[in-house]
Structure formats: structure tokens, C-alpha cells
Amino acid sequence: MIALELNEVSKQFGPTVALDGVDLQLEPGRVHALVGENGAGKSTLVKILAGDLLPDSGSIQRVGQPYAPASPIDARRQGVVLIHQEPTLCPHLTVAENIVLGREVAHFGWLDLTAERNLAAEALKLFDHPELTPERRLGELSISARQIVDICRVLAQPAQIVLMDEPTSALQRSDVERLFELIRGLVESGKSVLYISHFLEEVREVADSVTVLRDGRHVLSGSLAEIDDKQLITAMVGRPVENLFPARARARRGGDALLEVRDLSHPPWVESAQLEVFAGEVLGIAGLAGSGRTPLVRALFGLERPRAGHMRLGGQLDDLTRPLPERRIKAGLGYLSEDRGGEGLAPGLPITDNLTMTRMSSCSRAGWLDLACQEAETSKWIERLQIKASSALQSVSHLSGGNQQKVALGRLLHQDAEVLLLDEPTRGVDIGSKVQIYRVIAGLVSSGKSVLLVSSYLPELFGLCDRLAVMSRGRLSEARPIEEWTPETVLETALATKKQ
């Protein structure tokens, strides 16, 4: 019997058609992958299955019976749970309070805090992270740690169908492998998994079959053993994609560095870091989650106060212990945060404000904002970056993850930053959007600008970077030409098993 079956399911948001007659079958004891570009309708589909949204038309059956959950709680009662793409947790609560949220333990109206801590501790055993304790405040944790808490919260619940929307987008490889072990355990016990991912290598590693969505329609379904990657990519983007990374000449260093950092110390995250980024080059920084990569770039942009360090930007010497992001922006530094939803964008504001906020002067006259000029400037970047939006005035919160990321990147392009600090610029982004972002990066360095690229995705680093340095336990290795690195030596350095 089919565990879950969708027939002609449609969903529309105003003039935007998110799903247009989608069919899908999920079998017991199997992993079915759902892939497609951002905005293809994947998240909308799983939100309908999880009870977050109601379909406009079509039918859904769960083991032969009509299935129409009125809420996430109703879906959970019927054995369907969802791991969201962005952790849906409460940062002001503890890890334990987040894990038991909605299923608190109470006796005579009083919460049993000891029982809740025990439940949370048991759930956290799914991943080997001793630093993740039930008592820790969630807001103190990194993005990857929050993702692990969200996964533990969902997998600790009894369910027959588990929906996973980009569950590995913020995880390091060891945690990805542990998640895959857990998924295999689920299917061996007869449960079903619907798995969304933009990483085709992950899809092939964990899934049995696949459905491809494009523009809200299913365009390809079948066994993964019978479909190659070229067919998948063509189905997703609607055209063949021959080269993921743009061809360009490697940068030749000469003259002074656009960005020079010396003696940066930001304990406990960064023990020691020195780096140089030259005009027309991409300098990559690899490393495991928690190695100090993100605190490093945040300190450079002035979002955190390090203990010591200075940098030379655009010929001007600056003391890093005086964190002033406004001054960094004026000096030509741009920053793309890994936390798109939390600090990378203002979700309640329209695209116009998000895209122009770091250079409002381009759209103002005598201190007054020229709304027509702002809309025209935004529309230019929407067209250049192929952002799927109804208009420049659309709220960013109504865009797909990939299009939100393009807006965040467009802000740096509009700012005309000379040195761009990009922290996980393609996290949660589909293959088609990745190709566009890679071309934008190549165009920037070809025009003489510099990019400092932090990424957990090694193919991205090897495909884009001229030089690479590796962060390990707060120490940044010497940057070497990308040709001198291999995936194995990067991992050895990240694990500090090889002296650099």
C-alpha cells in the first residue's frame, strides 16, 4: 500500500502559482527525493503535507484514507512530521524547551522540568555533540547547532512519514553522515522519508526514487538508478547546464592587497589569523563548523569586537578592536551573512529597501528618499540577477530561499563593494541559482574586485577560488594556490591532523 499519494495538488498565492497539478507517491520503507530550483514549489508541497498550508485543489491520501491535516499538530497526530529548511525554533528558550515544544510534560498543570530535560538529553543523543546540553539557550548556538536541535526535536517524535526540507544545508559532513544513518534506520523500520536537497550527491547517497518539480509542475519521476545527473539538472532548470563553474583565468597577484589582516585574535573562536586578498582574486576559507570561520568574517566587518588585530582596507589602516560596520561599508567592504533569515535580510521589508539599504544615497535627494529612483534601481538588479518576484515592492519574506539570497547578494552589488565577504553564499540555493551566483562572483573579480569566500562545500571552493586557507580550531592556515590543495589535504588540515 502507498504511504502517501498526491493527485493533481495545486496551490496559488495571489497571481503566483506555487503548485500546478502535482502528482507524487511515497512508498513505505523508502526515501523519495524531491528536487527542483528555488521557487519550484518544493517547500509549499511539504508545508501542505505538514499541515502548515491547505491546498486549493487536488487530493491527498495517507495509506488509502483521505488526508487533509488542519494544522501541524493534526499532521503530527496522523504520523507526519517536518524538518524545515530554516529551523523553526525559539532563540529565547533553552534547547530542552525547544525540543519538547508542543508536547510538554505536565502534572496537574505544572511543568515537569526534570522530565523535559531527560527527554531532551535522550533526543540529543541522536548526534554526538556533548556541547549541546538541554540547559543551553538556543540563541547562543551557531546555525549548524540550531539545525541539529531542530532535527533532534522532529526525529524524537513518533511518526511514520518524515518530511525533510534541506536538512543538511547548515551541517558539516560528519553530521550529514550521522543523519543518513538515522534515515536508513527509519526506512529499515518501515517508515517513509520525503527528502528535499539541492545536493545531487546527497540525493543519490540516501534516496531510492526522485520527483523533479519545475515552476510548480512535476516534470520527471522515477528510480534514481535509471536517471543520471545531466537528466536531473536539465529537468530542474529547463535547459542543459554544461559547466557549473564559469571558466576564467586564475588571478595573478601583483601590487598591494585590497584587504590585509594582521594578528587577528578573537577568543575563543579565533586564536590567530593573518590573510591577504588581492584585486581580481577569490580567496577561499574552508573548515569544519565551529572552526571559527564565521566569527572571523564577522569581526572583519565590525559585527564583533576581537581582542586584537588590525586590517588595511583600500590603503587605510583600521583597528579591528573598534567594530564600526558603517565605516567598513564606506571603506568598500561588503558582507553576506550565512544567516539569511536572522540577519542577512529584513524579511518584513520590500525588495527595494533590502537591496538598497547599504547605499541609500544612490536613491536620495537632499536627504529625501526618491521612491521612484529606488524602485528603478531595484528593478535593474532584479533583471540582472533573474530574481523571481512579482515586483520590486514585493516583501522579501514572500520570496523563495534562492531568490532571497539573490536579493542579499544584489545589495552588495548595488553597494559597489570593493571587497566582498561571502559566508556560505549558496547555502540552500538550487543549481540554477548557484550557476548565476558563480557567474556574478566571476564577473566581480574580473572587474578587479576581491572576494573572501567561506564555504562548507568543497566543490564550490575548488571551482571558484584562486587561493585557499583552512580554519582549524581557531587558527587560519597559510593561503596556498588552489592547485596545491586536494579534498584530502583540506580535510586533514581542518582536522589538524597535518601540520601546515
mmCIF file of all heavy atoms in Angstrom, residues 403-447:
data_model
loop_
_atom_site.group_PDB
_atom_site.id
_atom_site.type_symbol
_atom_site.label_atom_id
_atom_site.label_comp_id
_atom_site.label_asym_id
_atom_site.label_seq_id
_atom_site.Cartn_x
_atom_site.Cartn_y
_atom_site.Cartn_z
ATOM 1 N N ASN A 403 15.866 33.087 -4.158
ATOM 2 C CA ASN A 403 15.644 34.468 -4.581
ATOM 3 C C ASN A 403 15.949 35.446 -3.459
ATOM 4 O O ASN A 403 16.408 36.563 -3.709
ATOM 5 C CB ASN A 403 14.204 34.624 -5.078
ATOM 6 C CG ASN A 403 13.997 33.973 -6.440
ATOM 7 O OD1 ASN A 403 14.640 34.333 -7.412
ATOM 8 N ND2 ASN A 403 13.131 32.984 -6.503
ATOM 9 N N GLN A 404 15.712 35.054 -2.214
ATOM 10 C CA GLN A 404 16.131 35.882 -1.088
ATOM 11 C C GLN A 404 17.649 36.051 -1.087
ATOM 12 O O GLN A 404 18.168 37.143 -0.846
ATOM 13 C CB GLN A 404 15.679 35.257 0.233
ATOM 14 C CG GLN A 404 14.188 35.336 0.483
ATOM 15 C CD GLN A 404 13.803 34.729 1.822
ATOM 16 O OE1 GLN A 404 14.651 34.227 2.561
ATOM 17 N NE2 GLN A 404 12.525 34.756 2.142
ATOM 18 N N GLN A 405 18.360 34.961 -1.380
ATOM 19 C CA GLN A 405 19.821 35.028 -1.405
ATOM 20 C C GLN A 405 20.307 35.959 -2.514
ATOM 21 O O GLN A 405 21.288 36.689 -2.335
ATOM 22 C CB GLN A 405 20.408 33.623 -1.593
ATOM 23 C CG GLN A 405 21.900 33.524 -1.348
ATOM 24 C CD GLN A 405 22.260 33.614 0.126
ATOM 25 O OE1 GLN A 405 21.459 33.991 0.962
ATOM 26 N NE2 GLN A 405 23.484 33.262 0.451
ATOM 27 N N LYS A 406 19.613 35.956 -3.638
ATOM 28 C CA LYS A 406 19.985 36.856 -4.724
ATOM 29 C C LYS A 406 19.769 38.315 -4.321
ATOM 30 O O LYS A 406 20.542 39.199 -4.711
ATOM 31 C CB LYS A 406 19.173 36.532 -5.977
ATOM 32 C CG LYS A 406 19.529 35.215 -6.636
ATOM 33 C CD LYS A 406 18.664 35.008 -7.873
ATOM 34 C CE LYS A 406 18.824 33.642 -8.477
ATOM 35 N NZ LYS A 406 17.952 33.456 -9.656
ATOM 36 N N VAL A 407 18.717 38.577 -3.549
ATOM 37 C CA VAL A 407 18.486 39.942 -3.062
ATOM 38 C C VAL A 407 19.634 40.365 -2.145
ATOM 39 O O VAL A 407 20.148 41.487 -2.253
ATOM 40 C CB VAL A 407 17.138 40.039 -2.312
ATOM 41 C CG1 VAL A 407 17.002 41.403 -1.632
ATOM 42 C CG2 VAL A 407 15.976 39.817 -3.268
ATOM 43 N N ALA A 408 20.049 39.461 -1.246
ATOM 44 C CA ALA A 408 21.153 39.769 -0.331
ATOM 45 C C ALA A 408 22.444 40.039 -1.107
ATOM 46 O O ALA A 408 23.207 40.963 -0.773
ATOM 47 C CB ALA A 408 21.352 38.624 0.655
ATOM 48 N N LEU A 409 22.702 39.250 -2.138
ATOM 49 C CA LEU A 409 23.887 39.470 -2.963
ATOM 50 C C LEU A 409 23.742 40.755 -3.783
ATOM 51 O O LEU A 409 24.709 41.509 -3.952
ATOM 52 C CB LEU A 409 24.111 38.274 -3.889
ATOM 53 C CG LEU A 409 25.341 38.314 -4.791
ATOM 54 C CD1 LEU A 409 26.617 38.415 -3.954
ATOM 55 C CD2 LEU A 409 25.400 37.074 -5.684
ATOM 56 N N GLY A 410 22.524 41.009 -4.265
ATOM 57 C CA GLY A 410 22.281 42.228 -5.028
ATOM 58 C C GLY A 410 22.566 43.480 -4.212
ATOM 59 O O GLY A 410 22.985 44.512 -4.756
ATOM 60 N N ARG A 411 22.344 43.412 -2.887
ATOM 61 C CA ARG A 411 22.641 44.554 -2.035
ATOM 62 C C ARG A 411 24.130 44.905 -2.094
ATOM 63 O O ARG A 411 24.505 46.084 -2.137
ATOM 64 C CB ARG A 411 22.226 44.262 -0.596
ATOM 65 C CG ARG A 411 22.447 45.450 0.339
ATOM 66 C CD ARG A 411 21.998 45.167 1.754
ATOM 67 N NE ARG A 411 22.811 44.154 2.396
ATOM 68 C CZ ARG A 411 22.384 42.952 2.763
ATOM 69 N NH1 ARG A 411 21.138 42.604 2.545
ATOM 70 N NH2 ARG A 411 23.193 42.095 3.344
ATOM 71 N N LEU A 412 24.994 43.896 -2.120
ATOM 72 C CA LEU A 412 26.439 44.154 -2.185
ATOM 73 C C LEU A 412 26.828 44.710 -3.558
ATOM 74 O O LEU A 412 27.727 45.546 -3.663
ATOM 75 C CB LEU A 412 27.223 42.872 -1.902
ATOM 76 C CG LEU A 412 26.969 42.177 -0.563
ATOM 77 C CD1 LEU A 412 27.993 41.083 -0.336
ATOM 78 C CD2 LEU A 412 26.998 43.168 0.578
ATOM 79 N N LEU A 413 26.145 44.225 -4.601
ATOM 80 C CA LEU A 413 26.435 44.737 -5.940
ATOM 81 C C LEU A 413 25.996 46.192 -6.053
ATOM 82 O O LEU A 413 26.700 47.026 -6.625
ATOM 83 C CB LEU A 413 25.719 43.890 -6.993
ATOM 84 C CG LEU A 413 26.081 42.400 -7.021
ATOM 85 C CD1 LEU A 413 25.313 41.681 -8.120
ATOM 86 C CD2 LEU A 413 27.577 42.212 -7.231
ATOM 87 N N HIS A 414 24.827 46.512 -5.504
ATOM 88 C CA HIS A 414 24.342 47.890 -5.517
ATOM 89 C C HIS A 414 25.239 48.781 -4.657
ATOM 90 O O HIS A 414 25.492 49.942 -5.015
ATOM 91 C CB HIS A 414 22.909 47.936 -4.984
ATOM 92 C CG HIS A 414 22.361 49.327 -4.878
ATOM 93 N ND1 HIS A 414 21.933 50.045 -5.965
ATOM 94 C CD2 HIS A 414 22.191 50.147 -3.796
ATOM 95 C CE1 HIS A 414 21.518 51.235 -5.575
ATOM 96 N NE2 HIS A 414 21.665 51.317 -4.267
ATOM 97 N N GLN A 415 25.731 48.231 -3.563
ATOM 98 C CA GLN A 415 26.639 48.974 -2.686
ATOM 99 C C GLN A 415 27.950 49.284 -3.392
ATOM 100 O O GLN A 415 28.654 50.226 -3.044
ATOM 101 C CB GLN A 415 26.909 48.141 -1.428
ATOM 102 C CG GLN A 415 27.851 48.755 -0.425
ATOM 103 C CD GLN A 415 28.180 47.776 0.697
ATOM 104 O OE1 GLN A 415 27.335 47.004 1.142
ATOM 105 N NE2 GLN A 415 29.424 47.800 1.151
ATOM 106 N N ASP A 416 28.280 48.476 -4.410
ATOM 107 C CA ASP A 416 29.527 48.610 -5.164
ATOM 108 C C ASP A 416 30.744 48.378 -4.270
ATOM 109 O O ASP A 416 31.740 49.109 -4.323
ATOM 110 C CB ASP A 416 29.618 49.987 -5.838
ATOM 111 C CG ASP A 416 30.655 50.014 -6.957
ATOM 112 O OD1 ASP A 416 30.954 48.935 -7.508
ATOM 113 O OD2 ASP A 416 31.174 51.101 -7.268
ATOM 114 N N ALA A 417 30.651 47.334 -3.431
ATOM 115 C CA ALA A 417 31.746 46.993 -2.524
ATOM 116 C C ALA A 417 32.973 46.536 -3.309
ATOM 117 O O ALA A 417 32.847 45.850 -4.332
ATOM 118 C CB ALA A 417 31.298 45.892 -1.573
ATOM 119 N N GLU A 418 34.148 46.925 -2.809
ATOM 120 C CA GLU A 418 35.399 46.525 -3.452
ATOM 121 C C GLU A 418 35.847 45.147 -2.989
ATOM 122 O O GLU A 418 36.430 44.384 -3.766
ATOM 123 C CB GLU A 418 36.491 47.554 -3.162
ATOM 124 C CG GLU A 418 36.331 48.860 -3.892
ATOM 125 C CD GLU A 418 36.383 48.673 -5.413
ATOM 126 O OE1 GLU A 418 37.263 47.932 -5.890
ATOM 127 O OE2 GLU A 418 35.539 49.263 -6.100
ATOM 128 N N VAL A 419 35.602 44.822 -1.720
ATOM 129 C CA VAL A 419 35.943 43.517 -1.165
ATOM 130 C C VAL A 419 34.673 42.925 -0.580
ATOM 131 O O VAL A 419 34.029 43.530 0.280
ATOM 132 C CB VAL A 419 37.019 43.622 -0.070
ATOM 133 C CG1 VAL A 419 37.347 42.239 0.482
ATOM 134 C CG2 VAL A 419 38.281 44.293 -0.619
ATOM 135 N N LEU A 420 34.291 41.738 -1.048
ATOM 136 C CA LEU A 420 33.054 41.098 -0.617
ATOM 137 C C LEU A 420 33.372 39.915 0.288
ATOM 138 O O LEU A 420 34.112 38.998 -0.098
ATOM 139 C CB LEU A 420 32.230 40.628 -1.820
ATOM 140 C CG LEU A 420 31.592 41.714 -2.689
ATOM 141 C CD1 LEU A 420 32.609 42.269 -3.683
ATOM 142 C CD2 LEU A 420 30.399 41.172 -3.454
ATOM 143 N N LEU A 421 32.817 39.928 1.489
ATOM 144 C CA LEU A 421 32.940 38.809 2.427
ATOM 145 C C LEU A 421 31.682 37.963 2.273
ATOM 146 O O LEU A 421 30.597 38.363 2.699
ATOM 147 C CB LEU A 421 33.060 39.317 3.860
ATOM 148 C CG LEU A 421 34.110 40.405 4.129
ATOM 149 C CD1 LEU A 421 34.025 40.867 5.578
ATOM 150 C CD2 LEU A 421 35.510 39.906 3.800
ATOM 151 N N LEU A 422 31.803 36.802 1.660
ATOM 152 C CA LEU A 422 30.647 35.952 1.364
ATOM 153 C C LEU A 422 30.697 34.708 2.241
ATOM 154 O O LEU A 422 31.562 33.847 2.063
ATOM 155 C CB LEU A 422 30.637 35.550 -0.113
ATOM 156 C CG LEU A 422 30.707 36.694 -1.136
ATOM 157 C CD1 LEU A 422 30.625 36.135 -2.557
ATOM 158 C CD2 LEU A 422 29.612 37.720 -0.889
ATOM 159 N N ASP A 423 29.781 34.612 3.196
ATOM 160 C CA ASP A 423 29.731 33.482 4.127
ATOM 161 C C ASP A 423 28.614 32.542 3.680
ATOM 162 O O ASP A 423 27.438 32.863 3.804
ATOM 163 C CB ASP A 423 29.481 33.995 5.547
ATOM 164 C CG ASP A 423 29.728 32.931 6.605
ATOM 165 O OD1 ASP A 423 30.034 31.783 6.237
ATOM 166 O OD2 ASP A 423 29.625 33.251 7.808
ATOM 167 N N GLU A 424 28.997 31.392 3.139
ATOM 168 C CA GLU A 424 28.057 30.386 2.626
ATOM 169 C C GLU A 424 27.054 31.013 1.647
ATOM 170 O O GLU A 424 25.840 30.982 1.859
ATOM 171 C CB GLU A 424 27.309 29.699 3.777
ATOM 172 C CG GLU A 424 28.201 29.026 4.806
ATOM 173 C CD GLU A 424 28.834 27.735 4.295
ATOM 174 O OE1 GLU A 424 28.627 27.384 3.119
ATOM 175 O OE2 GLU A 424 29.539 27.075 5.078
ATOM 176 N N PRO A 425 27.537 31.595 0.540
ATOM 177 C CA PRO A 425 26.640 32.344 -0.354
ATOM 178 C C PRO A 425 25.621 31.489 -1.091
ATOM 179 O O PRO A 425 24.629 32.026 -1.603
ATOM 180 C CB PRO A 425 27.611 33.010 -1.342
ATOM 181 C CG PRO A 425 28.806 32.115 -1.346
ATOM 182 C CD PRO A 425 28.925 31.616 0.069
ATOM 183 N N THR A 426 25.830 30.169 -1.160
ATOM 184 C CA THR A 426 24.868 29.336 -1.904
ATOM 185 C C THR A 426 24.187 28.311 -1.004
ATOM 186 O O THR A 426 23.640 27.328 -1.494
ATOM 187 C CB THR A 426 25.560 28.610 -3.077
ATOM 188 O OG1 THR A 426 26.565 27.723 -2.577
ATOM 189 C CG2 THR A 426 26.176 29.590 -4.044
ATOM 190 N N ARG A 427 24.189 28.554 0.309
ATOM 191 C CA ARG A 427 23.502 27.625 1.214
ATOM 192 C C ARG A 427 22.004 27.643 0.939
ATOM 193 O O ARG A 427 21.361 28.673 0.935
ATOM 194 C CB ARG A 427 23.763 28.006 2.678
ATOM 195 C CG ARG A 427 23.169 27.025 3.666
ATOM 196 C CD ARG A 427 23.611 27.316 5.089
ATOM 197 N NE ARG A 427 22.963 28.489 5.655
ATOM 198 C CZ ARG A 427 21.766 28.458 6.250
ATOM 199 N NH1 ARG A 427 21.096 27.324 6.330
ATOM 200 N NH2 ARG A 427 21.238 29.553 6.742
ATOM 201 N N GLY A 428 21.433 26.459 0.701
ATOM 202 C CA GLY A 428 20.008 26.356 0.435
ATOM 203 C C GLY A 428 19.590 26.908 -0.910
ATOM 204 O O GLY A 428 18.424 27.266 -1.104
ATOM 205 N N VAL A 429 20.523 26.967 -1.861
ATOM 206 C CA VAL A 429 20.244 27.545 -3.178
ATOM 207 C C VAL A 429 20.282 26.444 -4.232
ATOM 208 O O VAL A 429 21.149 25.568 -4.200
ATOM 209 C CB VAL A 429 21.275 28.657 -3.503
ATOM 210 C CG1 VAL A 429 21.131 29.129 -4.928
ATOM 211 C CG2 VAL A 429 21.106 29.821 -2.540
ATOM 212 N N ASP A 430 19.342 26.496 -5.182
ATOM 213 C CA ASP A 430 19.263 25.464 -6.210
ATOM 214 C C ASP A 430 20.399 25.584 -7.225
ATOM 215 O O ASP A 430 21.121 26.587 -7.265
ATOM 216 C CB ASP A 430 17.912 25.545 -6.930
ATOM 217 C CG ASP A 430 17.738 26.865 -7.665
ATOM 218 O OD1 ASP A 430 18.277 27.013 -8.767
ATOM 219 O OD2 ASP A 430 17.079 27.774 -7.112
ATOM 220 N N ILE A 431 20.543 24.564 -8.062
ATOM 221 C CA ILE A 431 21.660 24.502 -9.000
ATOM 222 C C ILE A 431 21.631 25.655 -9.999
ATOM 223 O O ILE A 431 22.655 26.286 -10.275
ATOM 224 C CB ILE A 431 21.657 23.151 -9.740
ATOM 225 C CG1 ILE A 431 22.059 22.041 -8.772
ATOM 226 C CG2 ILE A 431 22.601 23.179 -10.944
ATOM 227 C CD1 ILE A 431 22.040 20.657 -9.360
ATOM 228 N N GLY A 432 20.442 25.969 -10.520
ATOM 229 C CA GLY A 432 20.348 27.068 -11.477
ATOM 230 C C GLY A 432 20.770 28.387 -10.865
ATOM 231 O O GLY A 432 21.496 29.178 -11.484
ATOM 232 N N SER A 433 20.334 28.659 -9.628
ATOM 233 C CA SER A 433 20.713 29.900 -8.947
ATOM 234 C C SER A 433 22.190 29.891 -8.581
ATOM 235 O O SER A 433 22.847 30.936 -8.590
ATOM 236 C CB SER A 433 19.860 30.088 -7.693
ATOM 237 O OG SER A 433 18.496 30.240 -8.023
ATOM 238 N N LYS A 434 22.723 28.705 -8.233
ATOM 239 C CA LYS A 434 24.157 28.619 -7.947
ATOM 240 C C LYS A 434 24.968 29.040 -9.164
ATOM 241 O O LYS A 434 25.938 29.798 -9.046
ATOM 242 C CB LYS A 434 24.530 27.191 -7.550
ATOM 243 C CG LYS A 434 24.182 26.820 -6.126
ATOM 244 C CD LYS A 434 24.625 25.400 -5.807
ATOM 245 C CE LYS A 434 24.270 25.033 -4.376
ATOM 246 N NZ LYS A 434 24.649 23.657 -4.029
ATOM 247 N N VAL A 435 24.579 28.553 -10.335
ATOM 248 C CA VAL A 435 25.300 28.913 -11.565
ATOM 249 C C VAL A 435 25.292 30.424 -11.747
ATOM 250 O O VAL A 435 26.311 31.041 -12.092
ATOM 251 C CB VAL A 435 24.678 28.199 -12.780
ATOM 252 C CG1 VAL A 435 25.268 28.744 -14.076
ATOM 253 C CG2 VAL A 435 24.899 26.695 -12.692
ATOM 254 N N GLN A 436 24.136 31.061 -11.508
ATOM 255 C CA GLN A 436 24.041 32.513 -11.640
ATOM 256 C C GLN A 436 24.932 33.224 -10.631
ATOM 257 O O GLN A 436 25.620 34.191 -10.971
ATOM 258 C CB GLN A 436 22.587 32.949 -11.465
ATOM 259 C CG GLN A 436 21.667 32.465 -12.575
ATOM 260 C CD GLN A 436 20.204 32.715 -12.260
ATOM 261 O OE1 GLN A 436 19.857 33.107 -11.155
ATOM 262 N NE2 GLN A 436 19.339 32.489 -13.236
ATOM 263 N N ILE A 437 24.926 32.757 -9.376
ATOM 264 C CA ILE A 437 25.754 33.386 -8.342
ATOM 265 C C ILE A 437 27.229 33.205 -8.662
ATOM 266 O O ILE A 437 28.038 34.135 -8.497
ATOM 267 C CB ILE A 437 25.403 32.809 -6.959
ATOM 268 C CG1 ILE A 437 24.005 33.256 -6.539
ATOM 269 C CG2 ILE A 437 26.438 33.223 -5.914
ATOM 270 C CD1 ILE A 437 23.491 32.619 -5.264
ATOM 271 N N TYR A 438 27.614 32.022 -9.140
ATOM 272 C CA TYR A 438 29.010 31.787 -9.513
ATOM 273 C C TYR A 438 29.442 32.732 -10.634
ATOM 274 O O TYR A 438 30.565 33.248 -10.643
ATOM 275 C CB TYR A 438 29.203 30.336 -9.950
ATOM 276 C CG TYR A 438 28.994 29.312 -8.851
ATOM 277 C CD1 TYR A 438 28.659 27.992 -9.161
ATOM 278 C CD2 TYR A 438 29.127 29.655 -7.514
ATOM 279 C CE1 TYR A 438 28.460 27.037 -8.164
ATOM 280 C CE2 TYR A 438 28.931 28.722 -6.510
ATOM 281 C CZ TYR A 438 28.591 27.412 -6.838
ATOM 282 O OH TYR A 438 28.391 26.482 -5.851
ATOM 283 N N ARG A 439 28.547 32.971 -11.584
ATOM 284 C CA ARG A 439 28.886 33.885 -12.696
ATOM 285 C C ARG A 439 29.023 35.317 -12.194
ATOM 286 O O ARG A 439 29.874 36.069 -12.685
ATOM 287 C CB ARG A 439 27.820 33.787 -13.777
ATOM 288 C CG ARG A 439 27.879 32.480 -14.570
ATOM 289 C CD ARG A 439 26.724 32.352 -15.543
ATOM 290 N NE ARG A 439 26.809 31.105 -16.296
ATOM 291 C CZ ARG A 439 25.829 30.627 -17.051
ATOM 292 N NH1 ARG A 439 24.681 31.298 -17.163
ATOM 293 N NH2 ARG A 439 25.984 29.483 -17.712
ATOM 294 N N VAL A 440 28.182 35.692 -11.233
ATOM 295 C CA VAL A 440 28.293 37.031 -10.647
ATOM 296 C C VAL A 440 29.642 37.190 -9.953
ATOM 297 O O VAL A 440 30.333 38.206 -10.119
ATOM 298 C CB VAL A 440 27.141 37.291 -9.655
ATOM 299 C CG1 VAL A 440 27.415 38.552 -8.834
ATOM 300 C CG2 VAL A 440 25.815 37.429 -10.396
ATOM 301 N N ILE A 441 30.049 36.167 -9.171
ATOM 302 C CA ILE A 441 31.344 36.219 -8.484
ATOM 303 C C ILE A 441 32.477 36.329 -9.481
ATOM 304 O O ILE A 441 33.410 37.132 -9.313
ATOM 305 C CB ILE A 441 31.513 34.981 -7.580
ATOM 306 C CG1 ILE A 441 30.523 35.033 -6.412
ATOM 307 C CG2 ILE A 441 32.949 34.879 -7.058
ATOM 308 C CD1 ILE A 441 30.507 33.771 -5.561
ATOM 309 N N ALA A 442 32.418 35.529 -10.558
ATOM 310 C CA ALA A 442 33.462 35.585 -11.593
ATOM 311 C C ALA A 442 33.506 36.958 -12.243
ATOM 312 O O ALA A 442 34.590 37.491 -12.523
ATOM 313 C CB ALA A 442 33.213 34.501 -12.639
ATOM 314 N N GLY A 443 32.340 37.546 -12.483
ATOM 315 C CA GLY A 443 32.294 38.882 -13.076
ATOM 316 C C GLY A 443 32.883 39.938 -12.158
ATOM 317 O O GLY A 443 33.561 40.869 -12.617
ATOM 318 N N LEU A 444 32.647 39.803 -10.862
ATOM 319 C CA LEU A 444 33.178 40.765 -9.892
ATOM 320 C C LEU A 444 34.704 40.764 -9.887
ATOM 321 O O LEU A 444 35.343 41.822 -9.947
ATOM 322 C CB LEU A 444 32.649 40.444 -8.497
ATOM 323 C CG LEU A 444 31.182 40.754 -8.225
ATOM 324 C CD1 LEU A 444 30.732 40.129 -6.916
ATOM 325 C CD2 LEU A 444 30.951 42.259 -8.191
ATOM 326 N N VAL A 445 35.295 39.562 -9.798
ATOM 327 C CA VAL A 445 36.763 39.506 -9.734
ATOM 328 C C VAL A 445 37.389 39.870 -11.080
ATOM 329 O O VAL A 445 38.502 40.405 -11.129
ATOM 330 C CB VAL A 445 37.252 38.118 -9.238
ATOM 331 C CG1 VAL A 445 36.826 37.887 -7.803
ATOM 332 C CG2 VAL A 445 36.748 36.995 -10.124
ATOM 333 N N SER A 446 36.679 39.611 -12.165
ATOM 334 C CA SER A 446 37.193 40.014 -13.480
ATOM 335 C C SER A 446 37.269 41.535 -13.604
ATOM 336 O O SER A 446 38.090 42.069 -14.352
ATOM 337 C CB SER A 446 36.302 39.450 -14.592
ATOM 338 O OG SER A 446 36.373 38.044 -14.622
ATOM 339 N N SER A 447 36.409 42.237 -12.858
ATOM 340 C CA SER A 447 36.415 43.700 -12.895
ATOM 341 C C SER A 447 37.390 44.299 -11.893
ATOM 342 O O SER A 447 37.437 45.521 -11.731
ATOM 343 C CB SER A 447 34.999 44.226 -12.620
ATOM 344 O OG SER A 447 34.598 43.946 -11.289
#
